[in-house]
Amino acid sequence: MPPNPNSPLRIVVADDNPVVRAGLTALLSGREDTTVVAEAADGREACAAARLHRPDVILLDVRMPGVDGLTALPDLVPLAPVMMLTYSHESETVREAVRLGAVGYLVHGEFTVEQLVTAVRDTRAGRPHFTPSAASALAAGRLSCPPASAHATMQLPAVPRQIARSGLSQVQSYVGHSTRSQFRLSTREAEIMDLIATGMNNQQIAAACFISEKTVKNHINRIFAKLQSTSRSQAAAKWLGVA
């Protein structure tokens, strides 16, 4: 049975830090449309809580004693949508979490309270959210080694061949030495153009920047006009100075 959109979104919070758990519970239970139904200190407790309470969303830390978040993920994903909420931002960790079925990945310190709440709400609907370092990790994985797992929540699109051969570190090098200033992009447009150059699609850019896909499209239209480009590949090549 689909969730009642008028009932509060029910959340399980799994984190070994009791201060983090208490803070998230106070934040998310203090709203009309969200409530924390259980807390867990490790992956084993998270699985037990999810089976008992059948939440709408699970917020899951990566590093916890006993059963950690990545180990628990395969058991949690069939029970409810899982969003990683953690201090861990290593590329391999982010990519493994997505491969195992996490809907999104938020790194502490990279989002505001309202962005967190929006991401939690969207997780129930299967709409992914990734903070900048997590999004970059996914892009790096796509550029260096395209994922073959059928369990991956998202697939990154193709990128220009010159960029794909180089890997993300080389992309960043290109960006650093490009003549991007001539294009007169705004700060937000430059941020979005950087994400386009790593191969992200509009949905992924919207998630990384916490804006709507419509807003992303509007920015891209202006970017294309300034770069005098008609495609993402052409714009990326010009932006990175390889055209």
Side-chain angles (χ1 to χ4, degrees), residues 129-219:
H129 280 267
F130 296 87
T131 50
S133 63
S136 295
L138 289 179
R142 173 60 181 87
L143 289 169
S144 60
C145 182
S149 171
H151 298 290
T153 314
M154 307 169 62
Q155 293 291 331
L156 292 171
V159 297
R161 290 179 182 175
Q162 306 99 310
I163 303 170
R165 287 198 299 264
S166 306
L168 186 60
S169 62
Q170 189 63 39
V171 169
Q172 293 167 333
S173 176
Y174 280 140
V175 172
H177 294 88
S178 70
T179 55
R180 58 168 58 182
S181 60
Q182 67 179 298
F183 300 119
R184 300 182 182 278
L185 300 192
S186 69
T187 300
R188 174 62 93 180
E189 289 167 352
E191 178 185 11
I192 289 174
M193 191 59 240
D194 281 340
L195 296 176
I196 290 173
T198 63
M200 286 192 181
N201 62 29
N202 288 2
Q203 182 185 42
Q204 293 160 343
I205 293 171
C209 297
F210 288 98
I211 56 180
S212 70
E213 288 188 58
K214 181 179 179 180
T215 300
V216 172
K217 291 177 182 177
N218 291 337
H219 281 304

Side-chain angles (χ1 to χ4, degrees), residues 5-169:
N6 297 319
S7 62
L9 187 151
R10 304 169 71 254
I11 305 161
V12 165
V13 173
D15 195 298
D16 65 310
N17 187 326
V19 175
V20 172
R21 291 200 309 272
L24 289 171
T25 297
L27 169 66
L28 296 170
S29 291
R31 296 171 179 266
E32 291 184 359
D33 61 343
T34 60
T35 185
V36 174
V37 295
E39 298 179 18
D42 62 20
R44 183 176 290 104
E45 290 184 8
C47 290
R51 293 189 185 99
L52 177 63
H53 296 279
R54 296 293 172 173
D56 299 306
V57 175
I58 299 168
L59 301 183
L60 184 65
D61 190 16
V62 171
R63 291 190 170 86
M64 295 181 288
V67 178
D68 62 28
L70 293 182
T71 302
L73 253 178
D75 293 325
L76 291 171
V77 167
L79 301 175
V82 179
M83 181 170 68
M84 309 307 293
L85 185 61
T86 179
Y87 287 100
S88 304
H89 55 79
E90 297 81 1
S91 295
E92 290 184 3
T93 301
V94 176
R95 294 196 295 270
E96 180 68 2
V98 172
R99 187 188 72 80
L100 292 171
V103 173
Y105 199 111
L106 305 188
V107 178
H108 287 295
E110 297 184 359
F111 55 85
T112 66
V113 170
E114 288 307 316
Q115 287 169 344
L116 169 63
V117 173
T118 297
V120 170
R121 291 168 179 157
D122 283 350
T123 295
R124 175 166 65 174
R127 292 190 291 270
H129 280 267
F130 296 87
T131 50
S133 63
S136 295
L138 289 179
R142 173 60 181 87
L143 289 169
S144 60
C145 182
S149 171
H151 298 290
T153 314
M154 307 169 62
Q155 293 291 331
L156 292 171
V159 297
R161 290 179 182 175
Q162 306 99 310
I163 303 170
R165 287 198 299 264
S166 306
L168 186 60
S169 62

